[in-house]
Amino acid sequence: AQSVTQLDSQVPVFEEAPVELRCNYSSSVSVYLFWYVQYPNQGLQLLLKYLSGSTLVESINGFEAEFNKSQTSFHLRKPSVHISDTAEYFCAVSERNSGNTPLVFGKGTRLSVIA
Amino acid sequence: EAGVTQFPSHSVIEKGQTVTLRCDPISGHDNLYWYRRVMGKEIKFLLHFVKESKQDESGMPNNRFLAERTGGTYSTLKVQPAELEDSGVYFCASSHFGEQYFGPGTRLTVT
């Protein structure tokens, strides 16, 4: 079984400041790792994912996350946030096998970017 | 290409009533998942269809919940009778292989 911990439920940050949203996971098997984002009044969208290869993965809108196996972490970072980044962010894992296994989510972190 | 759609977007019902939620996956996606988020808690898996078959229903909370997927296309999730603790946002997701694409969710409020 897997579990995901997002330590911060809310993160307020000023526009153009850096941000880090923390995610730690626990699993007895190898996993894939994901960050999903939910903008206000919208559904969940995949932001980025780690499947294999380079431990640093990037999204098209400037976010990046680094898989750290020894610390079982997958923290999300952005060097300079925009107002439009205000959303709820979810870290998730799934078992590494056929690729069609359920996601296990953290509780989410609500990022509020302040002008 | 249309994404995953869910209907209704909101539903308010009284305790003891029945509600049916619908999910239309992306065309061609064999895998369909239902998840639920109760307020303040994490998004939790309910069940997984592969085509019309239930692959994994380990997350279904109790027998008041019934999910179907007719002909391997759209899926319905019926709650009968609804209880207060069933309130939350119900998400549907579909995938062909790997990445799951989520719908906007149905917000269910049981009063």
Side-chain angles (χ1 to χ4, degrees):
Chain A
Q2 299 89 45
S3 67
V4 177
T5 302
Q6 292 182 248
L7 292 169
D8 306 303
S9 59
Q10 297 190 61
V11 174
V13 62
F14 285 104
E15 192 174 18
E16 297 184 5
V19 70
E20 178 180 81
L21 307 183
R22 295 177 292 171
C23 172
N24 288 86
Y25 70 93
S26 172
S27 177
S28 56
V29 299
S30 295
V31 295
Y32 300 126
L33 295 143
F34 306 85
W35 276 98
Y36 281 83
V37 58
Q38 185 177 25
Y39 297 104
N41 302 314
Q42 295 186 30
L44 290 164
Q45 301 173 33
L46 181 65
L47 184 62
L48 45 76
K49 61 187 176 186
Y50 172 74
L51 304 181
S52 64
S54 172
T55 57
L56 183 66
V57 291
E58 299 178 352
S59 72
I60 59 172
N61 58 352
F63 282 93
E64 64 178 31
E66 186 159 21
F67 169 51
N68 187 319
K69 188 174 182 179
S70 63
Q71 297 186 7
T72 59
S73 68
F74 192 54
H75 302 329
L76 182 69
R77 302 183 182 94
K78 188 170 185 179
S80 175
V81 295
H82 303 289
I83 295 289
S84 59
D85 293 325
T86 294
E88 192 160 18
Y89 293 79
F90 297 90
C91 183
V93 302
S94 69
E95 275 188 31
R96 177 188 291 270
N97 55 20
S98 68
N100 295 314
T101 54
L103 293 165
V104 175
F105 286 90
K107 289 188 176 182
T109 297
R110 196 173 294 275
L111 174 65
S112 299
V113 181
I114 306 160
Chain B
E1 180 182 322
V4 178
T5 58
Q6 293 186 246
F7 182 83
S9 57
H10 294 84
S11 179
V12 181
I13 61 172
E14 293 183 353
K15 176 182 172 181
Q17 289 186 322
T18 298
V19 64
T20 300
L21 314 181
R22 173 171 170 144
C23 169
D24 286 79
I26 293 172
S27 178
H29 282 192
D30 289 340
N31 295 280
L32 188 149
Y33 306 82
W34 283 99
Y35 294 87
R36 175 175 75 170
R37 188 184 193 194
V38 172
M39 186 179 292
K41 300 200 172 181
E42 62 271 28
I43 301 168
K44 284 201 167 179
F45 165 75
L46 296 178
L47 87 158
H48 170 204
F49 283 100
V50 178
K51 297 185 180 179
E52 67 275 6
S53 299
K54 293 176 185 175
Q55 177 78 12
D56 180 355
E57 51 183 329
S58 61
M60 294 287 264
N62 52 60
N63 59 10
R64 295 185 294 102
F65 289 75
L66 176 64
E68 295 179 326
R69 189 176 183 194
T70 306
T73 55
Y74 70 92
S75 174
T76 58
L77 180 64
K78 180 189 286 188
V79 185
Q80 179 181 30
E83 298 289 345
L84 297 178
E85 64 265 25
D86 301 331
S87 294
V89 180
Y90 290 75
F91 292 101
C92 174
S94 72
S95 73
H96 176 58
F97 179 84
E99 180 179 342
Q100 294 183 26
Y101 296 83
F102 281 78
T106 293
R107 182 174 296 278
L108 174 64
T109 303
V110 183
T111 63

